[in-house]
Structures are given as C-alpha cells and as structure tokens.
Amino acid sequence: MAVTLLLISLLAFLAFQFIPGDPVTNLLGSDYTPERAAALRHEMGLDRNVFVRYWDWLTGFVTGDMGESYSYGMTVGQVMEGKGAVTAALSLMAWLLVIAISIPLGITLSRYQGGRLDRVFVAMNQVFMAIPPFFLGILFTYVFGLVLKLFVPGGFVRPEQDFWGFLGYLVFPALAIAIPKAAMVTKLLRSSILGQMGQDYVRTAYSRGNSRWSVLKKHVLRNALLPVVTFVAMTLADIVAGSIVVEQVFALPGLGRLLLASIGNRDYPVVQCIVVIIAFVVVFMNYLADVVTQTIDPRIRLG
Amino acid sequence: MDLRHNKNFTAGAFITGLMVGLILIGMVWTPYDPNAMDGRAKMLAPCARHILGTDNFGRDIYSRVVEGAGATALIAAATVAIGLVAGLIIGGVTGYYGGWLDEVIMRLNDALTAFPSILLALVLIALFGGGKYKIIIALGVLFIPSFARIVRAEVARQKSLDYVASARLMGAGDMRILFLHILPNIVPVLLPSVAIGFNNAVLAEASMSYLGVGVKPPDASLGRMLNEAQGYLMSAPWYAISAGAAIILLVLGFGLLSEGLGGDGHAS
Amino acid sequence: MTKRILALAMAVLMTAALFVGGGQSAFAASGSAADAAGEITVGIASDLDSSLDPHVSSSLAGTREVLFNIYEGLMKPDTQGNLIPAVAESYTVNDTADEYTFTLREGVRFHNGNEVTVGDIVYSLTRAAGLETGEPLMATLAGVKAVEATDDKTVVVTLSAPDAEFIAYTTAAVIPEGSDPADGIIGTGPFKYVSRSPQENVVIERFDDYWGEPARCAKVTFRIIDDGQAMVMALHSGAIDLAAHLDASQAAELSGLNVLEGSMNLVQALYLNNARAPFDDIRVRQALCYAIDKVMVIDLACDGHGTPLGSSMYPAFGRFFDEDLTGYYEPDMAKAMELLAEAGYSSDKPLKFTIAVVEAYTPHMNTAQAVVELLRQTGMVEAEIQPMENATWYSEAYQGRNFDATITGMDASTLTASALLGRFVSDNAKNFIGFASDDYDAAYAAAVSTTDADEQTAKFRECETILTENAANVYIQDLADFVVTQTDIQGYQFYPLYVMDMSTVCRVG
C-alpha cells in the first residue's frame, strides 16, 4: 500500500513536468518577462532537478511538513483547512445514503420478487444506474432548488457557522451521488438474496418450520451480504474520487474544487497533498474490501 | 439462453438500436447544420421547426444532441477498444509470465487506478492536445488498468488448466498459447466488462466535457451542452433535459443489453 | 414480518425527510444571516492572487477589483474617468512633466489606526518602483528616478524622462512604512481586510476611520463562484446579493432582479500573431477584418449587447477614443475573398489556423464560437478553437508567443492610453502579438513625452489608426458588463476601469 501511494505521489509530481505552464507563469501573468520569470523560479527553487524537488517534498511530507502553497501565500495545511471536512462530510453522507436506501430496498424487492412492485423498481433501478451524478445534480438544483425552493443553490454555509445548515445543504449533492450507486447496490443485493434463496440450506431451514424473515435474517443475509459488503466498501472510494464533478455543480468548497483550481494554478504542493489523500482513501478502501472478503470467505486469497 | 424472451435484452436492443439509428441518420442528415447559428432564433422552446428547441446561439438542439451523442459514442467505443487491446497485451503477458514484471506493472496499475482521473486526463490531454481524437487516446489510457487487471486474473487462472499444459506439451510457444489458446477462452468473461467499460467511458467523456476538458467547441458534446444548459435551467429546462436524456439512453441501452447477455451490467 | 420491513423502510424515508427538513432550516438560517444589517455577499468569478500585495498582484483583474476597496494611492480614479486626490490632497507638476509634487491630506489613517505620514508614501513609492532593488514591482512606475519628502506634508517625485500621464500611475497603493503585505494587509481604503479562505471567500469590513465618505455597508463577503452557471443559480436563489461581469444571456435569465448594464472596459479582439505565418501577411489580416462582421458577432455571442471597436481603445477613455476607426473595415465578403486569393488561398487550399481561448472565460469562448462560424461561411477559412487552461494560455500563447490567434480581452490597469497602447511598441515586453511598426513606435514615443494635452491626444489617436490600418488584430468589442443585484441592493456604480467599488453599495428597505 505504501509503495502504491509513493508511486502515485511520484506520478503526480512528474505529471506537472508535462503540463505546459508552471507556478511562475501564473504568478507573473501579464507582467511576465523572461528575466523576472527566471529570477522567481530561482527564488522558488523551481530551477532545480525534478527529482531533487520530489525528494524535498517527500521528506517534508513524511515529517508532516506539507509545504507552502504557491498561489495562496499560506501553508498547504492552511489552504486545506475546512476543505477536507466538506468532502468527507459529503462522501460519508452519500455513502450512508447508499446503505440506507439500498439495503432495505434490496431486501424488500427480493421479498416481492416478480410482483408489480418489484418489476417497477427493477426497471427504475436500471434507469437510475444510467444517470450521471452531475446530471442528477443539475436536475436537483432545478427541481428542489429553483422550483420547490427546498434549498438555496450556492447558499453553502460553513459547519462552524451553522452545523445543521451545513448538513442540510449537503443533502442534495449527497443524494445526487448516492442514487446511482444505491441503484447498483440494490440490484446486487436483490440478486444476491435471490441466488441464496434457491440454495439447499434455505430449503432445509424452511422445512424446519422457520418463518421467511428468520430464514432471511439467520441464514440468507449473512451469505447474501458478502459480495455487497465488498462492493459497498469500494463504493466509498468511488464516491470520494467522484465528488469532484458534483462539488462543481453545487459550488461546494471541497477538495475536488480546490484540486481543479490548484491544477489550474499549477500549485503542486496543494495538488500533491490532495492526490495523496484521495489515493489513500481509494487504496485503503480497496484493501479493506479485500480484508473483509477474506475474513468472511477464507477461500479468497488476497491478490 | 433464448434472447427473444429476455426483456432486458429486448429493451436494451430497442434503446440501443434507436440511439444508434438516430446517430447513423445524424451522420448523413440532421434537420439543421449542428453548428449553424441563427441570431433570430435563440433559445426557442421545442416547436415544429426545432423539435428540441434551440440553444443560446440559435443552433438546433436536436441536431446537436444527435451529433454530440455520436461523438460521445464514438469516443467511448474507441476508448474501450484502446483499453481492451492494451489491457489484453499487458494483462495477458503479466498474467502468463508473472514474476517481477507482473509485480511492477500491477503496482503501476494500482497507482493509476487510485489516481484522480481528472488530473491524469489533464496530463494526457496536455501531452496529446485536446479535441475529439486526442481525448480518445487520453481516456483509452485511463481504461487500460481495469482491463489489464481482469485479463491478468483470468489468464493466471487459465494457465494452470489442462488444455494449456497439453498445448505446451505439443510444443506450442508462449505467445501462441497465450493468444491462440487462452484468449478465446476468456472472451466470455470479458464481454460484460466491455459493456461496463463502454458505459463508464460515456460517463467519463461526459464528465470531462462538462468540466471543460474534452471535445472542442463549437463541436457538439453532450457534457459541454449540459454545462451550457445549466445556466438556462429556469428559462429553458428542455435544453439540459435533452442532453441529459441522450446520455442516459446511451448508458441505459448498453446496460440492459449487457445484462441480457448475462453480465451484471453495473459499473464498478 | 413484512410489516417490520415496511417499518424499516419507513424509518429510512423519515430519516431522509429529516435531512430534507434540515435543508429547509438551512435556508431559513442562511437567509437571516445574510439579512443582518449592512452585510452584503458578492459573487466573484475567480479567486484572488496569492499575496494580495497591491504592488505586485496586478496581473489578475479580479484581484485588482477587490483590492480597490482596501487600498488607495495618492490619487484614485472616479466614476467619470477623472483622477481625484485621495491620500494626497493636491499636486503640482512642473512644465517639463518630470517632477510631481504632492501635498499630503491631513487625517488619513491606515486600517491599523496610524496616521499616514510622508514616510509611508516615500516607502510605498520606493517599494513599488523598485528604487532600492533596481527591479520595479509595478512596470508603470519604472520611470521614477527619485522619491523624496521635502517636509512632513510634501513629497516630490522625479522622473527620468518626461511623462504627462504619470499622475495616473500614482494610484499605486500607499502602505505603512516598512510593512510587507505578506504579513498583513493594511491600506487606507474605505474597507479593511478581514480574512480569506482559498476557493471560498474573501471578507472585508467597513473602516470607520476612513477619511472620506464612509462605506454604506458594514461588511462585504466576496464569495468565489468560478462557474458562471452556478453564479446565476446563486443569484436566483438569493445566496448572493450581487454579481458583476455577467453576460447578456445570464442577465436575461435573471430578469426578475435588478439588472444594470455597463461596459467591461476592455478590448476584446481576435489578437493575431503578426510575427509568423499566416498572419505576418497584412492581406490575410485585413481579409479577416473584412470577413468578421463585429455587429453580427455581438448579435450571436452577446445577444446584441456590446460596443463594437475598431482599435485598441474603448469609449470610456473619452478624447483618446477615435470613433471613426470602428467602421474602418466595413464587412465585405467579396473583398475578404479577394485578399485571401491574393495571398494564395482558395476553397481548395483554405486558410487554416487555431484560436487559443481560455476555457473558463465564457464571453471569449462564445465570441470565438461565433467568429469560427462566420469564418466557416466564407468557405476559405478553417479556424479551430483551441481551448486551454489559463496557465497554459499564459505560458504558451502570451509568454511563449506560440499561437496563431487568440481571443481575449485587454484591459487597462490605470487610466492612461498607454496602458492599452504601450504593449504594441515593437520592443515592449508585453507585445505578445509581435507587432512591429516604426511609425507606431515614433508616434507612441511622441505621445508619452509631450506635455501638451492636445498633441498627446493626436499622437495616441495616430497610434490607434496605425493599428487599424495595419489590421494588427481583428477588433471586436468592448463587452457589455451586466451587474445583477437583488432588488433590495442599491448604489452600484460603474467605473471606466475594471474595478468594483463596494463603498457606495447598500441594502435598503
């Protein structure tokens, strides 16, 4: 895992070697002269070899010094302050919504398999899975924000100012992210339960006079949830990485927007830090998914 | 499996057929030139002359949606093709030989997967330049790791099977075994991932264009249209809905098709 | 058993409903916070520069327009385009226009409470002009030779060469002696700096000891909303009170609110790289001038709002603006074709070039789309838009001069004609289009060295004419600037510069 993260940070650092423009071009803008640029580059240490700079950054990062932002004149820590919380709150809320929607729905649908309710929901599920989250975000802004006035588009408040207002503003972005994912999980859970229901041990359990609910609870869910748990764990990683676009739609000041802006400003200390954070979440959740899978089903070897 | 009685397959085939049909027709004929502007016909509501209305330049939205959907579908298909071919080669070789090369490439693969795709896309677009054909390469590269991973796992599994051993006994070379014996056997496993890959590619292209990295204006692109349409939600909601619906139909059709074919159809 | 499942589902729904309810209370809460007396939230499209150092951060127009509220110079511009005394009470200039004498206004205080002294002024001008480092922070002050306090009320600035426009450059901010804006933002303006959060907001507060008319609102929060669409939504929903620099279609979308129309005060043009093919050929440049109908472009891209321009000057500059140049190239397709044919192009061998445009600048992007479409209709020109990030544009196009053509807007940071015309002198570092004309250089040199206002006007107009005759660029327009406010916001005033004066804005009723 550490190797992967190291590799990612190196890749991100090298990436800026290929993109035109550097912090200096941006800082000077229309006041640019080659002499001033060279002087500023020297002052900022940008004229050194890229690997030397990477090593500097890495040793700093490991010792907890994330460096100074080029475009804000403050430390990376100060720039990031509060931004991580927004993305974390948004992702977590979306993730919890995925679970809160899909688990009960999946179980209910499997109960009524083949019924009208089931068919309607399964069809709707297909449609929801096909909706890009940012389009759902746009629709929500229109329907709930502008027509029904349930929230104020662009009216984000900081949690320090108004905690419930902050959470309230995140509900619709979180839903926009959660619904397509929840549709996938619902579907996965439903077919997983149905798959288990046909197994011999279920028939045996029924024949002992157990009710449907207790069979479900005691036997089926345990097995049926296995693939779902793995998927749901990986979903969180997906949500974090995918929040960039939705933050843009709802003008949320989170990591994603900061990442886009910092790429634009060629502010690599900030980019570097965000990339490592996002990558860490992704790698960690994937690892966790593997561990969970392995714990529940020892036949699967960690790859 | 009798596909005619498979509702998913039927519905998917219908929707995909409809979209492909409209796109194909759009290649030779659209009601208006998708890029032609008309200063006197801006922001028209859907009407007999413009069935989906017009945009802020007075361009016909239907013509642009069809052109944009075509561009998106083409980009997605080509992206998957690149990802698939490169993934087959990389995944096949690493899965077959294993060893340190496998270790290194799979680490790189992990890193690429966990890398924010927007940054990677920006780098690749900076390398290749923007535009329809360049973004195919950029997105294609993004899609290599997931295919490589699937192929690698499958090849590693297959290579311990009897038929591989007997082929080797008969003196077949590694490359021959890999591409002539193993490959045909993993195609069924790959089919659903191709469909998922296509859908992910559609969404990726739309997101990129929405963020302004992708197809160059004035050429139509569904993501870019959504971005523009967002500003006119109050006065012209049909603009956003038309572009959004086209994305949904493309993804939905393919999702249903792949499900009908036995895959699980959802992105992962 | 199904009941339990249903109950579970209900519980989930109710949790969701609670969340939605939370959203509603958020609405009430944030609404009431914004209503607090005299607090105004302004949407701005881009985050500010790194340091907020008024002497270096002049590159971003968006930064200058916010800093206008915090910092002041010896002089400051007014809404009519005049320069009025600010930290200085008055000034005199000698006959040769190389010595300016300023008298300090009494009772001007910094935001830290200290009174402004001549020492502060000498320090500020010395720092901005780079007299000690030899490297001017502000290019406009490069001509300063010495700054000297003759008594505790008088500062004398001597120039190395006569410059009749120099007074416009003394809008450079006055900061406390020995201070560095990196350590604290202290000016003398009607607002003082409170805080900033990257990509989120910048907060300023009324400065109660301001020497002039105090600001009418107590606090202004500039909220960074970098997406034009999100900006429209935020106005729509009441999340922000005011936003400037909107375009016609955005304004049309907000017709229920107060919509003010002014102009952006910039020269939007298809800037051509005169230094290399194909635009090193004057016939090709002129052909484009004839082929691109500005009025049509403004119609298509800006719903007809905008002022057509014919040279690198816009109407707010009054006497320097030569109206006759706007119609110098009447749209004439036949003539354009003829010139292109002369230059060796035909429909089989069309003129091909790319137009670099910064992706995020919607007005330029829209203009570019209209221009490409109009050129496509000639059948002899294939122009392609090359969208890029701001940083890429700077490094490739502006600084690297590696471009065919670009659509952008050039604005003036000071109220001087040279702010717009200086860059086209052949050896100017900012001459990114590589324009080179001996006549131009001579006319410009004459204009900046004369002390006679009429002659200066005539010479600057000559410069503009040379640019137009040589078709240096395809001039398009001064963009319309729509300022949209909530209906209870009053007092916004337009300036002939790219600034946003919040001191006159207030909430009524």
Side-chain angles (χ1 to χ4, degrees):
Chain A
M1 199 159 89
V3 178
T4 311
L5 286 179
L6 201 67
L7 210 56
I8 289 171
S9 69
L10 180 62
L11 282 179
F13 214 88
L14 292 178
F16 282 101
Q17 294 301 303
F18 296 109
I19 309 185
D22 68 6
V24 169
T25 55
N26 243 41
L27 285 176
L28 292 179
S30 55
D31 287 341
Y32 171 93
T33 61
E35 299 80 43
R36 285 185 72 171
L40 197 56
R41 265 187 202 116
H42 183 72
E43 194 183 315
M44 293 165 73
L46 289 172
D47 50 355
R48 294 171 306 154
N49 179 293
V50 57
F51 292 103
V52 175
R53 279 186 285 136
Y54 176 70
W55 179 250
D56 261 15
W57 173 83
L58 187 68
T59 47
F61 189 83
V62 174
T63 55
D65 171 17
M66 290 177 291
E68 189 129 339
S69 154
Y70 292 143
S71 43
Y72 294 108
M74 30 175 120
T75 65
V76 173
Q78 286 168 324
V79 173
M80 306 265 292
E81 201 189 324
K83 305 288 188 285
V86 174
T87 303
L90 175 67
S91 309
L92 261 178
M93 191 187 278
W95 195 56
L96 291 177
L97 280 171
V98 169
I99 297 172
I101 297 172
S102 58
I103 306 280
L105 195 61
I107 295 174
T108 316
L109 289 187
S110 70
R111 169 72 182 82
Y112 296 104
Q113 187 217 351
R116 192 174 293 166
L117 182 78
D118 183 43
R119 272 185 291 164
V120 168
F121 266 92
V122 168
M124 272 172 56
N125 236 354
Q126 290 290 353
V127 177
F128 279 130
M129 285 190 326
I131 303 183
F134 67 95
F135 178 58
L136 207 53
I138 294 174
L139 282 184
F140 280 179
T141 316
Y142 176 58
V143 177
F144 297 113
L146 299 183
V147 179
L148 298 177
K149 301 205 182 300
L150 286 180
F151 76 109
V152 185
F156 172 81
V157 274
R158 287 237 67 103
E160 305 87 87
Q161 290 166 356
D162 175 3
F163 184 72
W164 292 107
F166 165 74
L167 283 188
Y169 188 78
L170 291 184
V171 169
F172 288 98
L175 271 177
I177 301 175
I179 288 181
K181 296 274 176 217
M184 289 171 199
V185 178
T186 306
K187 186 173 156 224
L188 188 63
L189 180 61
R190 175 184 169 276
S191 51
S192 179
I193 292 177
L194 291 179
Q196 293 293 331
M197 282 301 204
Q199 301 278 324
D200 286 344
Y201 75 92
V202 176
R203 255 170 265 154
T204 318
Y206 270 130
S207 67
R208 290 201 192 115
N210 286 314
S211 70
R212 190 190 158 89
W213 177 243
S214 69
V215 171
L216 195 69
K217 198 167 61 179
K218 285 189 195 136
H219 306 278
V220 175
L221 271 186
R222 252 192 60 139
N223 292 313
L225 279 176
L226 169 69
V228 179
V229 167
T230 321
F231 185 76
V232 167
M234 296 202 310
T235 304
L236 181 61
D238 244 24
I239 288 175
V240 172
S243 64
I244 294 179
V245 192
V246 172
E247 281 178 18
Q248 202 70 16
V249 176
F250 287 91
L252 283 171
L255 286 186
R257 246 169 53 118
L258 186 64
L259 176 66
L260 286 184
S262 301
I263 293 174
N265 292 335
R266 305 292 184 260
D267 191 348
Y268 5 108
V270 178
V271 173
Q272 204 64 12
C273 192
I274 299 177
V275 166
V276 172
I277 290 176
I278 294 182
F280 175 77
V281 175
V282 173
V283 174
F284 182 75
M285 288 316 288
N286 285 347
Y287 175 76
L288 205 66
D290 282 347
V291 172
V292 169
T293 316
Q294 200 190 22
T295 323
I296 307 180
D297 186 349
R299 280 171 305 176
I300 300 168
R301 202 172 47 87
L302 270 185
Chain B
M1 180 166 43
D2 187 352
L3 290 175
R4 273 171 303 175
H5 295 291
N6 184 322
K7 276 190 197 149
N8 280 337
F9 185 82
T10 321
F14 176 74
I15 294 173
T16 308
L18 179 80
M19 288 308 285
V20 170
L22 288 179
I23 290 169
L24 286 180
I25 294 172
M27 281 176 175
V28 287
W29 178 84
T30 45
Y32 294 84
D33 177 339
N35 286 343
M37 300 176 177
D38 184 349
R40 282 150 303 158
K42 289 180 168 201
M43 301 309 285
L44 292 183
C47 58
R49 296 189 45 185
H50 298 276
I51 56 170
L52 294 179
T54 57
D55 71 0
N56 51 326
F57 287 99
R59 298 177 294 202
D60 182 52
I61 292 179
Y62 171 78
S63 306
R64 288 182 72 72
V65 165
V66 168
E67 204 206 37
T72 303
L74 177 79
I75 290 172
T79 296
V80 170
I82 290 178
L84 186 62
V85 171
L88 272 176
I89 296 171
I90 295 172
V93 170
T94 55
Y96 189 81
Y97 290 107
W100 64 270
L101 185 71
D102 177 41
E103 193 63 29
V104 169
I105 291 190
M106 280 303 129
R107 282 277 162 246
L108 206 61
N109 228 355
D110 282 349
L112 279 181
T113 317
F115 204 78
S117 50
I118 180 80
L119 179 56
L120 199 52
L122 278 175
V123 175
L124 294 168
I125 285 167
L127 277 181
F128 304 122
K132 201 185 280 184
Y133 301 103
K134 311 287 177 60
I135 197 166
I136 291 175
I137 304 177
L139 280 178
V141 173
L142 283 180
F143 276 71
I144 295 174
S146 62
F147 281 113
R149 183 186 299 269
I150 298 166
V151 172
R152 171 182 169 272
E154 201 53 29
V155 168
R157 198 176 65 83
Q158 298 268 344
K159 91 177 164 182
S160 58
L161 295 182
D162 288 346
Y163 77 94
V164 175
S166 48
R168 193 170 290 138
L169 277 180
M170 289 167 72
D174 285 344
M175 284 300 129
R176 193 180 164 81
I177 293 177
L178 184 54
F179 289 102
L180 287 183
H181 296 271
I182 297 182
L183 202 63
N185 282 303
I186 62 174
V187 166
V189 185
L190 277 178
L191 263 184
S193 13
V194 167
I196 296 167
F198 179 84
N199 283 354
N200 284 343
V202 168
L203 293 182
E205 192 279 327
S207 312
M208 297 281 173
S209 306
Y210 175 77
L211 292 176
V213 190
V215 175
K216 292 178 194 170
D219 290 342
S221 142
L222 295 177
R224 187 178 286 277
M225 288 173 77
L226 266 181
N227 186 323
E228 285 170 9
Q230 207 187 340
Y232 307 103
L233 269 184
M234 277 314 265
S235 58
W238 57 83
Y239 186 9
I241 291 169
S242 312
I247 297 179
I248 294 175
L249 287 179
L250 269 182
V251 176
L252 182 61
F254 253 81
L256 289 172
L257 263 188
S258 80
E259 197 154 320
L261 286 169
D264 56 2
H266 60 70
S268 57
Chain C
M1 279 311 114
T2 51
K3 276 187 192 158
R4 272 208 216 170
I5 300 169
L6 278 179
L8 190 62
M10 285 292 286
V12 171
L13 279 177
M14 281 169 62
T15 324
L18 264 179
F19 271 119
V20 177
Q24 267 175 308
S25 70
F27 176 42
S30 65
S32 60
D35 284 337
E39 287 189 21
I40 289 176
T41 309
V42 178
I44 51 174
S46 62
D47 204 348
L48 307 192
D49 263 343
S50 58
S51 61
L52 301 187
D53 184 332
H55 297 155
V56 293
S57 62
S58 57
S59 57
L60 275 183
T63 304
R64 285 202 306 266
E65 84 181 339
V66 170
L67 291 188
F68 181 78
N69 294 290
I70 302 174
Y71 292 111
E72 281 175 336
L74 292 166
M75 308 291 285
K76 71 192 278 186
D78 73 359
T79 54
Q80 300 306 310
N82 306 310
L83 286 160
I84 52 170
V87 177
E89 191 169 35
S90 61
Y91 75 96
T92 54
V93 52
N94 68 354
D95 293 340
T96 46
D98 57 4
E99 190 183 287
Y100 288 73
T101 308
F102 297 90
T103 310
L104 180 62
R105 183 188 298 276
E106 229 165 302
V108 178
R109 283 183 188 279
F110 282 115
H111 298 154
N112 62 10
N114 296 341
E115 202 158 323
V116 178
T117 65
V118 284
D120 298 321
I121 294 169
V122 172
Y123 171 76
S124 303
L125 286 177
T126 307
R127 180 176 188 268
L131 292 183
E132 271 156 24
T133 59
E135 183 77 16
L137 292 176
M138 295 180 81
T140 49
L141 295 177
V144 173
K145 195 166 78 181
V147 185
E148 199 177 4
T150 49
D151 60 48
D152 63 356
K153 283 200 68 177
T154 314
V155 174
V156 178
V157 180
T158 14
L159 306 181
S160 43
D163 187 349
E165 289 188 304
F166 177 75
I167 195 66
Y169 304 143
T170 60
T171 50
V174 175
I175 60 175
E177 187 168 3
S179 74
D180 181 349
D183 304 326
I185 292 149
I186 299 166
T188 61
F191 288 94
K192 59 184 177 195
Y193 171 86
V194 177
S195 68
R196 78 183 294 196
S197 173
Q199 283 303 307
E200 212 171 320
N201 60 40
V202 177
V203 183
I204 60 176
E205 218 172 55
R206 175 168 57 210
F207 175 47
D208 290 323
D209 290 332
Y210 184 57
W211 60 268
E213 189 75 22
R216 292 169 71 190
C217 57
K219 186 175 163 190
V220 179
T221 303
F222 293 95
R223 184 179 289 203
I224 295 129
I225 302 179
D226 51 11
D227 181 273
Q229 278 69 339
M231 187 82 90
V232 173
M233 300 278 192
L235 276 167
H236 228 295
S237 65
I240 57 175
D241 296 313
L242 183 153
H245 317 315
L246 300 181
D247 63 28
S249 57
Q250 289 173 319
E253 195 75 3
L254 294 161
S255 51
L257 306 178
N258 272 350
V259 178
L260 312 169
E261 183 177 349
S263 73
M264 213 76 113
N265 300 315
L266 48 75
V267 179
Q268 187 197 48
L270 177 68
Y271 289 91
L272 305 173
N273 193 342
N274 285 233
R276 72 177 202 196
F279 298 120
D280 54 352
D281 184 338
I282 186 172
R283 291 169 301 188
V284 181
R285 299 198 301 266
Q286 286 177 331
L288 291 195
C289 289
Y290 283 116
I292 297 172
D293 178 349
K294 317 178 210 286
V295 178
M296 183 87 96
V297 171
I298 295 172
D299 253 6
L300 286 173
C302 311
D303 292 352
H305 297 270
T307 314
L309 299 179
S311 191
S312 276
M313 187 58 62
Y314 52 79
F317 268 96
R319 62 192 165 104
F320 295 120
F321 178 70
D322 188 348
E323 206 173 356
D324 297 339
L325 293 175
T326 307
Y328 189 88
Y329 295 99
E330 282 296 329
D332 185 342
M333 213 46 108
K335 194 124 182 206
M337 305 273 215
E338 197 183 303
L339 283 162
L340 282 173
E342 260 179 54
Y345 298 100
S346 63
S347 45
D348 298 327
K349 185 179 167 290
L351 165 67
K352 289 185 183 176
F353 66 96
T354 59
I355 303 175
V357 189
V358 176
E359 173 71 46
Y361 298 160
T362 316
H364 299 322
M365 205 47 137
N366 285 346
T367 299
Q369 295 202 40
V371 164
V372 166
E373 178 60 19
L374 288 182
L375 290 175
R376 190 175 67 112
Q377 286 169 3
T378 63
M380 282 168 85
V381 185
E382 284 177 19
E384 195 187 353
I385 296 176
Q386 185 78 50
M388 42 179 74
E389 283 181 285
N390 201 27
T392 310
W393 185 83
Y394 269 129
S395 81
E396 294 288 289
Y398 191 86
Q399 299 160 1
R401 299 191 184 181
N402 180 22
F403 70 105
D404 294 336
T406 177
I407 289 184
T408 186
M410 291 290 158
D411 65 341
S413 56
T414 53
L415 275 171
T416 57
S418 31
L420 288 168
L421 296 171
R423 70 167 67 250
F424 299 111
V425 173
S426 25
D427 59 354
N428 190 299
K430 295 182 181 181
N431 185 354
F432 73 108
I433 65 161
F435 183 73
S437 153
D438 294 337
D439 294 343
Y440 186 89
D441 296 353
Y444 183 82
V448 290
S449 58
T450 181
T451 51
D452 179 60
D454 288 338
E455 197 195 333
Q456 191 189 39
T457 309
K459 283 295 176 189
F460 275 133
R461 281 175 168 234
E462 190 184 327
C463 287
E464 294 162 39
T465 310
I466 294 170
L467 286 177
T468 308
E469 283 172 354
N470 282 290
N473 303 297
V474 183
Y475 292 102
I476 299 172
Q477 59 169 328
D478 182 1
L479 286 163
D481 181 6
F482 287 89
V483 174
V484 177
T485 73
Q486 302 296 342
T487 46
D488 58 349
I489 300 293
Q490 280 188 355
Y492 187 87
Q493 292 183 324
F494 286 97
Y495 277 69
L497 283 173
Y498 200 95
V499 298
M500 197 187 242
D501 181 1
M502 292 308 299
S503 68
T504 55
V505 178
C506 68
R507 189 187 300 278
V508 291

